[in-house]
Amino acid sequence: MPELPEVETMRRGIRGVVGCRVEGVLRPRCRLRPIAVEPSWVVLRRRLTGREILAVERVGKRVVLRLDDQSRVVFEPRMTGLVLLTDPPDQEHLRLGLALAYPGGAAAPGGRHEAPPVLWYWDRRGLGQVRWLSDKAFVERYLSGHLGPDALLVSADELRARLGGSRRAIKVGLLDQAAVAGVGNLYASEILHVARIHPARPARSLAAAEWQVLHAALTDVLNEAVRYEGSTLSDGTYRNALNQAGSYQNHHRVYDRAGQPCVDCQGAEIVRVVQAQRATFFCPICQPRRRGRPR
DNA sequence: ATTAATGTTCAGAA
DNA sequence: TTTCTGAACATTAA
């Protein structure tokens, strides 16, 4: 479930690898089906070994390492992928490691002498992917390609322009990475509750003022979730780069709260419905189907 | 012991 | 063109 807040937390957690050099690509013995590595392990080794990491970036729900030849390594965690700078939750689901060396010698930052770190990619279900792309291929695929603007950077007007013409339910539209990048199933429900908009309303039915409210809710919820380092759900899968749980799950208003009272109105129970084969949670009182209901 | 549910992306169909 | 469905996978709960 890594969505924008979780992936941003991953990114921040591994920022310290900037300036490190990649010594090698580790392939832990994993009895499970191998994850997708593109173009191949051989190419990955050849292109990464010896390169310096210039930056750690994020594009939508992906963590990106920018190397000193401007090529990129992209970690796409999908459902259960983690990027770690510490010991992983278990060995069975370790998929890939980047052995790192500090620049200019063996000393760790701060003058301590630590073992050079390994940046691990761990993935329970193995749906995630790791790929290497040239600068050109990266720009084509992720910057000028199908992905919409980042959810934390998009303006209210742009949000409406990219979503507002559609007949789709607004909840489904928010999940469309080509419209806006970073929102996933959990945060879509949370955002709509804060915005007091019914998830099944056709996107094109939102009034101008509602796009402003939706945009504010989008920004507020995602920023707040980043502050709490993302949501670790009951299965405990999601962890930050130090294998620690996030805490935004303690602040969920609707997600996974079906049957519980709405934290806002206290007058209704949170309802669970299915849209586009995904669970949606909302409050039927606070998020009326017809617009114009006063606060 | 099956079966359903999970939540992301993409290919392919409607 | 736009929207929808199913598959990729491992694990847990029912």
Side-chain angles (χ1 to χ4, degrees):
Chain A
M1 53 26 121
E3 305 179 23
L4 186 150
E6 288 77 26
V7 177
E8 174 63 15
T9 303
M10 292 179 192
R11 186 193 74 76
R12 295 181 182 191
I14 66 167
R15 266 186 308 205
V17 304
V18 169
C20 288
R21 203 156 36 78
V22 180
E23 293 281 273
V25 178
L26 309 177
R27 185 175 186 178
R29 47 239 168 268
C30 178
R31 319 156 46 83
L32 304 166
R33 246 186 99 103
I35 59 161
V37 171
E38 295 175 5
S40 69
W41 284 88
V42 173
V43 172
L44 206 68
R45 280 210 173 88
R46 187 167 302 143
R47 312 309 302 228
L48 268 56
T49 304
R51 298 251 81 103
E52 183 185 337
I53 298 171
L54 291 192
V56 182
E57 299 164 341
R58 178 181 60 76
V59 53
K61 300 174 187 173
R62 300 161 182 89
V63 176
V64 179
L65 307 181
R66 182 158 56 85
L67 307 179
D68 57 4
D69 62 353
Q70 302 303 320
S71 68
R72 315 294 210 283
V73 183
V74 177
F75 295 93
E76 185 174 311
R78 298 272 182 110
M79 301 297 303
T80 53
L82 298 178
V83 173
L84 297 157
L85 275 182
T86 185
D87 290 335
D90 63 48
Q91 298 295 313
E92 303 91 271
H93 301 93
L94 254 195
R95 310 289 184 155
L96 181 148
L98 299 184
L100 303 175
Y102 294 113
R112 294 164 302 169
H113 290 273
E114 297 172 0
V118 176
L119 179 62
W120 292 111
Y121 180 72
W122 181 96
D123 195 334
R124 181 154 58 77
R125 288 175 64 177
L127 297 176
Q129 306 184 348
V130 180
R131 59 172 59 97
W132 173 87
L133 298 153
S134 70
D135 183 29
K136 180 167 174 284
F138 175 81
V139 170
E140 281 175 5
R141 178 159 180 168
Y142 293 113
L143 300 186
S144 59
H146 66 288
L147 274 190
D150 192 84
L152 278 181
L153 302 176
V154 71
S155 70
D157 285 346
E158 201 174 5
L159 189 68
R160 177 173 55 168
R162 302 188 67 94
L163 236 34
S166 171
R167 272 174 274 266
R168 280 184 303 188
I170 184 61
K171 155 74 160 40
V172 177
L174 285 172
L175 298 181
D176 183 354
Q177 304 300 296
V180 62
V183 180
N185 200 48
L186 190 162
Y187 292 102
S189 284
E190 293 295 320
I191 288 163
L192 288 170
H193 183 257
V194 170
R196 306 177 75 90
I197 294 171
H198 192 290
R201 290 207 18 221
R204 64 191 309 176
S205 76
L206 299 211
E210 290 179 307
W211 287 106
Q212 299 291 329
V213 172
L214 179 58
H215 176 260
L218 175 84
T219 303
D220 290 350
V221 167
L222 293 180
N223 278 321
E224 192 185 11
V226 170
R227 274 209 309 124
Y228 287 101
E229 302 202 301
S231 302
T232 298
L233 303 184
S234 52
D235 71 355
T237 299
Y238 170 70
R239 305 262 141 176
N240 68 13
L242 298 178
N243 195 17
Q244 298 161 332
S247 58
Y248 191 68
Q249 66 278 5
N250 302 321
H251 302 267
H252 289 174
R253 296 158 171 87
V254 289
Y255 184 80
D256 211 13
R257 295 193 65 247
Q260 298 178 44
C262 173
V263 293
D264 228 12
C265 70
Q266 304 285 332
E269 292 182 351
I270 300 305
V271 172
R272 178 190 189 274
V273 296
V274 173
Q275 293 180 281
Q277 298 136 223
R278 339 275 298 272
T280 299
F281 300 88
F282 70 102
C283 170
I285 299 295
C286 296
Q287 298 167 266
R289 192 171 272 280
R290 294 215 150 278
R291 72 180 163 90
R293 189 77 145 263
R295 275 193 90 119

